[in-house]
């Protein structure tokens, strides 16, 4: 086989050195990223770490010396007569000198193609399942989480679903058995809440039914609902209720603009439901 041209060999050597330096740089970045607490990583950080890990693996595989090719056993051929030899020799096409073909070049090209492909971002559904730790039953307060209103008195006149939470809420209804609940003052408030949820498409686009929207007249009533349903997750804005349920519920999300430090790891805090999922 003809030797590869000198300029091609030099290019390959420079390419390998470049990848080695890139691998060293990525390894340093990985060590810096892993110094951050895993509890504080959002989905974008997890995607970045995964991308760096894939890059290092491809770099390592590319710089490894290829295994020696296995020799193929020659096939036994029938004796060639003089007339056949003359005919075969006339059909041979000689390759021009200087043409160099190598499986290593193809492997390098494939490695670079895969290396520079954009990292696939996780879907909203994947993020929801990951953040909820595959929990399948969720209870959630309406005021301050799903609705823009923050007090039962406001619900007597109107109810408005927060647009920013709609996509996350619909995704939760597809994956989880979701129950929404709120304390109300009168029947008119219940009608306003159900109408707002219906206009937002939650009963049609999502998997939520009106029977899973629960109303009570006291805060203790909401606590009783949650304990009876025994969800994997409860989402609330009232720190007293969150504290009372901490002994009974596996995970809770306390939604509050002011971050609260909870002594138990089963209670997480976020300024809003959508921000908990990174949106």
């Amino acid at each position: 086989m003809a030797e590869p041209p000198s300029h091609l060999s030099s290019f390959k050597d420079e390419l390998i050195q470049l990848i080695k330096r890139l691998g060293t740089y990525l390894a340093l970045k990985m060590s810096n990223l892993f110094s951050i607490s895993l509890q504080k990583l959002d989905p974008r950080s997890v995607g970045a770490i995964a991308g760096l890990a894939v890059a290092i693996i491809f770099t390592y595989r590319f710089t490894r010396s290829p295994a020696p090719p296995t020799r193929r056993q020659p096939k036994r051929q029938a004796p060639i007569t003089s007339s056949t030899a003359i005919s075969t020799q006339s059909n041979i096409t000689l390759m021009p000198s200087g043409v160099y073909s190598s499986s290593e070049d193809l492997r390098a090209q494939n490695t670079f193609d895969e290396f520079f492909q954009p990292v696939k971002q996780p879907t909203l559904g994947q993020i929801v399942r990951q953040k909820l730790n595959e929990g399948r039953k969720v209870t959630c307060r309406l005021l301050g989480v799903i609705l823009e209103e923050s007090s039962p008195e406001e619900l007597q006149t109107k109810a408005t679903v927060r647009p920013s939470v709609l996509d996350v809420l619909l995704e939760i209804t597809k994956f989880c058995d979701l129950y929404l609940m709120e304390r109300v003052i009168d029947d008119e408030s219940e009608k306003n809440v159900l109408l707002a949820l219906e206009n937002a498409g939650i009963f049609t686009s999502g998997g939520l039914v009106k029977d899973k929207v629960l109303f009570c007249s006291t805060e203790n009533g909401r606590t009783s609902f949650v304990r009876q349903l025994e969800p994997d997750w409860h989402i609330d804005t009232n720190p007293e209720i969150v504290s009372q349920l901490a002994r009974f519920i596996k995970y809770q999300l306390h939604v509050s603009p002011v971050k609260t430090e909870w002594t138990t790891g089963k209670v997480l805090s976020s300024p809003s439901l959508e921000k908990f999922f990174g949106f």
Side-chain angles (χ1 to χ4, degrees):
M1 179 183 293
E3 292 296 328
S6 59
H7 68 276
L8 180 57
S9 178
S10 175
F11 171 75
K12 288 178 60 181
D13 292 340
E14 293 178 359
L15 198 57
I16 292 175
Q17 293 298 324
L18 176 62
I19 294 178
K20 287 181 178 180
R21 291 196 297 269
L22 180 60
T24 302
Y25 172 77
L26 292 176
L28 290 174
K29 285 294 184 181
M30 279 288 281
S31 65
N32 291 335
L33 283 174
F34 275 110
S35 65
I36 304 173
S37 172
L38 291 177
Q39 292 295 332
K40 297 182 180 179
L41 288 178
D42 58 16
R44 295 181 178 82
S45 299
V46 174
I49 292 176
L52 292 175
V54 172
I56 292 175
I57 292 173
F58 278 120
T59 302
Y60 170 73
R61 292 184 61 185
F62 177 75
T63 54
R64 289 176 59 190
S65 58
T70 57
R71 297 186 59 184
R72 298 179 60 184
Q73 294 293 335
K75 294 182 179 180
R76 299 185 62 182
Q77 298 180 353
I80 302 176
T81 62
S82 59
S83 59
T84 305
I86 295 174
S87 175
T88 303
Q89 186 175 5
S90 64
N91 291 332
I92 293 177
T93 302
L94 297 178
M95 292 185 66
S97 60
V99 176
Y100 177 70
S101 175
S102 172
S103 60
E104 185 177 349
D105 293 337
L106 181 58
R107 186 177 65 175
Q109 181 62 43
N110 292 337
T111 300
F112 270 92
D113 290 343
E114 294 178 1
F115 179 81
F116 287 105
Q117 283 182 354
V119 179
K120 293 182 179 180
Q121 295 293 333
T123 64
L124 178 57
Q126 291 172 335
I127 294 174
V128 168
R129 289 191 292 270
Q130 179 186 9
K131 295 289 285 186
L132 294 180
N133 293 325
E134 300 296 329
R136 299 309 297 264
K137 181 182 284 189
V138 178
T139 55
C140 179
R141 171 173 205 181
L142 283 162
L143 286 174
V145 181
I146 307 301
L147 302 178
E148 292 184 354
E149 291 73 24
S150 58
S151 67
E153 289 75 18
E154 295 178 80
L155 297 180
Q156 291 181 289
T157 56
K158 67 182 181 68
T160 308
V161 175
R162 299 174 57 244
S164 58
V165 80
L166 189 56
D167 289 341
V168 171
L169 181 63
L170 291 176
E171 198 62 44
I172 294 176
T173 61
K174 295 176 184 177
F175 176 70
C176 302
D177 186 14
L178 176 66
Y179 292 82
L180 301 178
M181 53 190 65
E182 192 49 66
R183 177 172 71 91
V184 295
I185 297 175
D186 51 24
D187 294 341
E188 191 65 26
S189 299
E190 294 184 18
K191 294 178 181 179
N192 290 337
V193 170
L194 292 175
L195 181 61
L197 295 175
E198 184 175 4
N199 291 338
I202 295 175
F203 297 133
T204 55
S205 300
L208 186 69
V209 295
K210 292 183 180 181
D211 291 340
K212 292 183 178 181
V213 182
L214 309 177
F215 298 100
C216 56
S217 58
T218 64
E219 292 290 276
N220 289 335
R222 188 162 74 252
T223 304
S224 299
F225 281 156
V226 176
R227 292 191 59 179
Q228 291 174 16
L229 291 169
E230 298 181 344
D232 299 304
W233 280 83
H234 177 62
I235 304 168
D236 211 298
T237 60
N238 190 330
E240 294 183 3
I241 290 183
V242 172
S243 180
Q244 293 172 11
L245 293 173
R247 295 180 300 164
F248 309 103
I249 307 304
K250 187 175 182 180
Y251 298 108
Q252 290 191 89
L253 176 63
H254 178 223
V255 176
S256 173
V258 179
K259 186 175 181 180
T260 304
E261 296 295 336
W262 295 92
T263 57
T264 173
K266 298 192 302 181
V267 179
L268 304 178
S269 181
S270 176
S272 67
L273 181 61
E274 61 271 25
K275 288 185 178 180
F276 175 69
F277 294 101
F279 291 90

